[in-house]
mmCIF file of all heavy atoms in Angstrom:
data_model
loop_
_atom_site.group_PDB
_atom_site.id
_atom_site.type_symbol
_atom_site.label_atom_id
_atom_site.label_comp_id
_atom_site.label_asym_id
_atom_site.label_seq_id
_atom_site.Cartn_x
_atom_site.Cartn_y
_atom_site.Cartn_z
ATOM 1 N N VAL A 801 -9.611 11.152 -9.085
ATOM 2 C CA VAL A 801 -8.819 10.452 -10.090
ATOM 3 C C VAL A 801 -7.345 10.730 -9.836
ATOM 4 O O VAL A 801 -7.015 11.778 -9.255
ATOM 5 C CB VAL A 801 -9.204 10.873 -11.537
ATOM 6 C CG1 VAL A 801 -10.614 10.481 -11.876
ATOM 7 C CG2 VAL A 801 -9.012 12.384 -11.709
ATOM 8 N N ALA A 802 -6.488 9.836 -10.297
ATOM 9 C CA ALA A 802 -5.036 10.034 -10.136
ATOM 10 C C ALA A 802 -4.315 9.239 -11.217
ATOM 11 O O ALA A 802 -4.800 8.200 -11.676
ATOM 12 C CB ALA A 802 -4.569 9.612 -8.748
ATOM 13 N N GLY A 803 -3.140 9.727 -11.580
ATOM 14 C CA GLY A 803 -2.284 9.033 -12.525
ATOM 15 C C GLY A 803 -0.850 9.063 -12.019
ATOM 16 O O GLY A 803 -0.427 10.016 -11.356
ATOM 17 N N GLU A 804 -0.097 7.995 -12.317
ATOM 18 C CA GLU A 804 1.298 7.891 -11.843
ATOM 19 C C GLU A 804 2.186 7.384 -12.959
ATOM 20 O O GLU A 804 1.813 6.470 -13.727
ATOM 21 C CB GLU A 804 1.375 6.943 -10.640
ATOM 22 C CG GLU A 804 2.779 6.741 -10.113
ATOM 23 C CD GLU A 804 2.864 5.685 -9.014
ATOM 24 O OE1 GLU A 804 1.878 4.935 -8.870
ATOM 25 O OE2 GLU A 804 3.896 5.617 -8.330
ATOM 26 N N TRP A 805 3.383 7.964 -13.063
ATOM 27 C CA TRP A 805 4.375 7.504 -14.036
ATOM 28 C C TRP A 805 5.681 7.265 -13.300
ATOM 29 O O TRP A 805 6.113 8.083 -12.488
ATOM 30 C CB TRP A 805 4.584 8.548 -15.126
ATOM 31 C CG TRP A 805 5.690 8.177 -16.096
ATOM 32 C CD1 TRP A 805 5.563 7.383 -17.202
ATOM 33 C CD2 TRP A 805 7.040 8.614 -16.031
ATOM 34 N NE1 TRP A 805 6.776 7.287 -17.829
ATOM 35 C CE2 TRP A 805 7.703 8.030 -17.150
ATOM 36 C CE3 TRP A 805 7.761 9.412 -15.166
ATOM 37 C CZ2 TRP A 805 9.056 8.242 -17.389
ATOM 38 C CZ3 TRP A 805 9.111 9.636 -15.400
ATOM 39 C CH2 TRP A 805 9.741 9.057 -16.520
ATOM 40 N N ARG A 806 6.314 6.107 -13.547
ATOM 41 C CA ARG A 806 7.605 5.789 -12.919
ATOM 42 C C ARG A 806 8.575 5.296 -13.976
ATOM 43 O O ARG A 806 8.207 4.560 -14.899
ATOM 44 C CB ARG A 806 7.437 4.716 -11.845
ATOM 45 C CG ARG A 806 6.606 5.133 -10.668
ATOM 46 C CD ARG A 806 6.550 4.071 -9.574
ATOM 47 N NE ARG A 806 7.815 3.936 -8.877
ATOM 48 C CZ ARG A 806 7.970 3.224 -7.742
ATOM 49 N NH1 ARG A 806 6.923 2.593 -7.211
ATOM 50 N NH2 ARG A 806 9.137 3.156 -7.149
ATOM 51 N N ARG A 807 9.820 5.700 -13.826
ATOM 52 C CA ARG A 807 10.889 5.227 -14.702
ATOM 53 C C ARG A 807 11.938 4.521 -13.848
ATOM 54 O O ARG A 807 12.278 4.979 -12.749
ATOM 55 C CB ARG A 807 11.548 6.392 -15.453
ATOM 56 C CG ARG A 807 12.726 5.954 -16.338
ATOM 57 C CD ARG A 807 13.382 7.134 -17.030
ATOM 58 N NE ARG A 807 14.588 6.705 -17.720
ATOM 59 C CZ ARG A 807 14.628 6.201 -18.958
ATOM 60 N NH1 ARG A 807 13.499 6.088 -19.629
ATOM 61 N NH2 ARG A 807 15.747 5.826 -19.518
ATOM 62 N N PHE A 808 12.466 3.416 -14.372
ATOM 63 C CA PHE A 808 13.436 2.602 -13.644
ATOM 64 C C PHE A 808 14.749 2.556 -14.419
ATOM 65 O O PHE A 808 14.750 2.238 -15.601
ATOM 66 C CB PHE A 808 12.920 1.180 -13.424
ATOM 67 C CG PHE A 808 11.635 1.132 -12.641
ATOM 68 C CD1 PHE A 808 10.416 1.069 -13.300
ATOM 69 C CD2 PHE A 808 11.644 1.150 -11.271
ATOM 70 C CE1 PHE A 808 9.238 1.010 -12.593
ATOM 71 C CE2 PHE A 808 10.462 1.108 -10.545
ATOM 72 C CZ PHE A 808 9.268 1.047 -11.203
ATOM 73 N N ASP A 809 15.849 2.865 -13.731
ATOM 74 C CA ASP A 809 17.187 2.779 -14.301
ATOM 75 C C ASP A 809 18.025 1.876 -13.416
ATOM 76 O O ASP A 809 17.936 1.919 -12.187
ATOM 77 C CB ASP A 809 17.846 4.150 -14.399
ATOM 78 C CG ASP A 809 17.108 5.072 -15.360
ATOM 79 O OD1 ASP A 809 17.000 4.713 -16.544
ATOM 80 O OD2 ASP A 809 16.606 6.125 -14.921
ATOM 81 N N ALA A 810 18.858 1.056 -14.047
ATOM 82 C CA ALA A 810 19.672 0.097 -13.310
ATOM 83 C C ALA A 810 20.775 0.819 -12.541
ATOM 84 O O ALA A 810 21.502 1.626 -13.120
ATOM 85 C CB ALA A 810 20.260 -0.932 -14.243
ATOM 86 N N ARG A 811 20.891 0.560 -11.257
ATOM 87 C CA ARG A 811 22.000 1.054 -10.453
ATOM 88 C C ARG A 811 23.227 0.138 -10.595
ATOM 89 O O ARG A 811 24.353 0.589 -10.516
ATOM 90 C CB ARG A 811 21.597 1.151 -8.979
ATOM 91 C CG ARG A 811 20.674 2.294 -8.655
ATOM 92 C CD ARG A 811 20.208 2.207 -7.210
ATOM 93 N NE ARG A 811 21.314 1.979 -6.289
ATOM 94 C CZ ARG A 811 22.010 2.931 -5.682
ATOM 95 N NH1 ARG A 811 21.729 4.198 -5.937
ATOM 96 N NH2 ARG A 811 22.998 2.644 -4.858
ATOM 97 N N SER A 812 22.931 -1.143 -10.772
ATOM 98 C CA SER A 812 24.018 -2.131 -10.920
ATOM 99 C C SER A 812 23.500 -3.290 -11.758
ATOM 100 O O SER A 812 22.340 -3.671 -11.644
ATOM 101 C CB SER A 812 24.476 -2.610 -9.541
ATOM 102 O OG SER A 812 25.360 -3.703 -9.660
ATOM 103 N N GLU A 813 24.355 -3.826 -12.599
ATOM 104 C CA GLU A 813 23.997 -5.019 -13.367
ATOM 105 C C GLU A 813 24.448 -6.294 -12.666
ATOM 106 O O GLU A 813 24.179 -7.392 -13.136
ATOM 107 C CB GLU A 813 24.645 -4.944 -14.757
ATOM 108 C CG GLU A 813 24.114 -3.818 -15.625
ATOM 109 C CD GLU A 813 22.618 -3.976 -15.949
ATOM 110 O OE1 GLU A 813 22.109 -5.114 -15.871
ATOM 111 O OE2 GLU A 813 21.994 -2.946 -16.280
ATOM 112 N N LYS A 814 25.105 -6.165 -11.511
ATOM 113 C CA LYS A 814 25.551 -7.329 -10.748
ATOM 114 C C LYS A 814 24.405 -7.806 -9.849
ATOM 115 O O LYS A 814 24.455 -7.694 -8.634
ATOM 116 C CB LYS A 814 26.780 -6.993 -9.920
ATOM 117 C CG LYS A 814 27.472 -8.208 -9.317
ATOM 118 C CD LYS A 814 28.682 -7.835 -8.531
ATOM 119 C CE LYS A 814 29.315 -9.067 -7.917
ATOM 120 N NZ LYS A 814 30.538 -8.722 -7.108
ATOM 121 N N VAL A 815 23.367 -8.302 -10.503
ATOM 122 C CA VAL A 815 22.174 -8.758 -9.816
ATOM 123 C C VAL A 815 21.714 -10.084 -10.457
ATOM 124 O O VAL A 815 22.149 -10.433 -11.550
ATOM 125 C CB VAL A 815 21.032 -7.710 -9.914
ATOM 126 C CG1 VAL A 815 21.387 -6.486 -9.085
ATOM 127 C CG2 VAL A 815 20.747 -7.343 -11.361
ATOM 128 N N LEU A 816 20.820 -10.780 -9.775
ATOM 129 C CA LEU A 816 20.317 -12.029 -10.336
ATOM 130 C C LEU A 816 19.385 -11.797 -11.535
ATOM 131 O O LEU A 816 19.387 -12.562 -12.497
ATOM 132 C CB LEU A 816 19.562 -12.798 -9.262
ATOM 133 C CG LEU A 816 20.427 -13.451 -8.155
ATOM 134 C CD1 LEU A 816 19.518 -14.198 -7.163
ATOM 135 C CD2 LEU A 816 21.460 -14.398 -8.734
#
Side-chain angles (χ1 to χ4, degrees):
V801 295
E804 178 186 14
W805 175 85
R806 296 183 71 169
R807 177 183 173 86
F808 300 96
D809 295 300
R811 286 173 48 89
S812 171
E813 295 296 338
K814 191 179 179 180
V815 292
L816 288 180

